[in-house]
Amino acid sequence: MPILQENVSLKTYNTFGIDVTANYFVEVKNVEDLREVFNHPIAKTKKLLVLGGGSNMLFTKNFDGIVLKVSIPGITYQTQGDDVVVTAGGGVVWNDLVLYCVDNNFAGIENLTLIPGTVGASPIQNIGAYGVELKDIFTSCTAFEIATGELRIFNYADCNFGYRDSVFKNELKNKYIITSVQFHLSKQAKLQTHYGAITAELEKRNIAAPTIADVSNVVAAIRVSKLPDPKTIGNAGSFFKNPVIEKTEFDSLVKRFPNVVNYPAANGKVKLAAGWLIEQCGFKGIVVGETGTWKNQALVLVNHGHASGQEVYTFSEQIINTVYTKFAVKLEREVNIL
C-alpha cells in the first residue's frame, strides 16, 4: 500500500519552488498503487491533484486535498522495419525519454529536447517546441479511470489534440490518470530544422548534414540560452501560450507593428510570439518584488527566491492587461493555476 502522508510541503515538487502545503501526499509507482489509493476512505472525500514533474503549474495557496505524484517507470520499444513504437511509463522524466530515443537513433522526438515534466503529462498539454508537437509522434496512451479503477486506451482521434490542448484538459479533465504513452518514431530521420534558431545554430557549428543527436544538442543549447534552470531559479518555462489569431486580425496588427514576429498556423490563422509581445511592452528582465521575467526570455516568469504564487499570478495579470492595451491581443496562461 502506498503511504498517504499528511501536511507535506510541495516546494520541491513544483519547479516554481512555491512553498505551499498539501493536506495529503501519496506517490504511486504502478496501476495497483492507484487502485489502492482510490479505495482508501480519504480519497473518496478529498479533492485530487495529479502531479507529474510539477513543471506546468503555479500554486497560489495550500492544497486542501490529496496530491498524487505519478512515478510509474519504464521505457520499452518494438521495431518493424524503420518504424519504432516506444512505450514509456507516465512517471518517466520527459527529457530522459528524449535522450533514450536519441541515443538509440529513434527519430521524431529530438526537437522536444529539454521540455520539463513527465511523459504522463505530455498528451494532456500536447507539449511542443521548435515546429514539433506531441501529437506528431503520438500513437496512444493508457489511462486509469478514477471513477471505475479500469484502464482505457486512447488513440490519436480520442485525444482531440489542439494547440497546447487535448480532451484531458476539457471534457475528461480530472477523470483519468495517464499511466503510459506510446510514440511512433522512425529509424529514418526527417529532420525539422526550419523553426526558430535551429538552422542558424547548426550553421554556426559548421554542421551541414545534421543527425538527430545534432538537432537535439542544438535545441538543448538554444533552450539553455533562453530559459533558466529551475534548480537555480524557480520557473515553469513558458508561462503564456503563443496567441493564435485570425488572418484579418493579423493584417490589421501588422499595419501598426510591421515587425511583429509571426508564424503560419492551422486553418489559415497566424501564430504570434508571446515573448516578443511581452518584450515590446517593456517587461523583459524586469524584477517586481520577488518575481519578474527572465532576462533572456520575457515569456518566462521567475521566482527570485521567496515569491508567493499569488504574487506571480498578479504580475502575470499585469502583463496580460498591458499586452492587450498595446496590441489588442489577449494572452492566455499556459501554466495551470491552483
Side-chain angles (χ1 to χ4, degrees), residues 51-233:
L51 193 65
S55 60
N56 195 47
M57 58 181 54
L58 175 67
F59 288 102
T60 61
K61 57 186 177 181
N62 293 335
F63 188 75
D64 182 20
I66 300 173
V67 171
L68 188 149
K69 176 81 169 73
V70 176
S71 298
I72 300 173
I75 303 174
T76 60
Y77 69 89
Q78 294 179 317
T79 62
Q80 184 171 3
D82 288 334
D83 293 327
V84 185
V85 176
V86 177
T87 303
V92 172
V93 173
W94 175 261
N95 200 52
D96 288 351
L97 172 65
V98 174
L99 295 180
Y100 175 92
C101 293
V102 170
D103 287 346
N104 283 280
N105 205 35
F106 302 156
I109 200 171
E110 58 276 359
N111 288 48
L112 304 181
T113 298
L114 272 191
I115 292 180
T118 58
V119 167
S122 63
I124 299 172
Q125 183 76 1
N126 184 25
I127 60 172
Y130 298 100
V132 176
E133 290 184 312
L134 183 283
K135 68 179 180 63
D136 300 327
I137 56 171
F138 178 90
T139 298
S140 67
C141 67
T142 302
F144 175 91
E145 187 174 21
I146 293 171
T148 65
E150 298 299 317
L151 294 179
R152 174 181 167 185
I153 295 175
F154 290 83
N155 61 30
Y156 181 95
D158 295 330
C159 294
N160 196 23
F161 289 121
Y163 174 59
R164 301 297 176 269
D165 200 18
S166 74
V167 70
F168 301 108
K169 290 183 75 173
N170 296 290
E171 55 264 43
L172 297 186
K173 185 175 182 178
N174 299 327
K175 294 184 179 181
Y176 286 88
I177 297 170
I178 296 174
T179 56
S180 66
V181 184
Q182 280 196 334
F183 305 91
H184 181 204
L185 304 177
S186 177
K187 294 180 183 178
Q188 295 296 320
K190 295 180 181 178
L191 299 179
Q192 301 283 348
T193 60
H194 62 283
Y195 198 98
I198 296 178
T199 299
E201 186 65 24
L202 287 168
E203 290 174 354
K204 189 162 67 175
R205 298 182 182 206
N206 296 315
I207 300 173
T211 65
I212 63 170
D214 291 327
V215 173
S216 176
N217 290 336
V218 163
V219 168
I222 295 169
R223 290 186 71 92
V224 168
S225 72
K226 290 184 176 181
L227 306 175
D229 184 349
K231 296 175 184 175
T232 304
I233 183 168

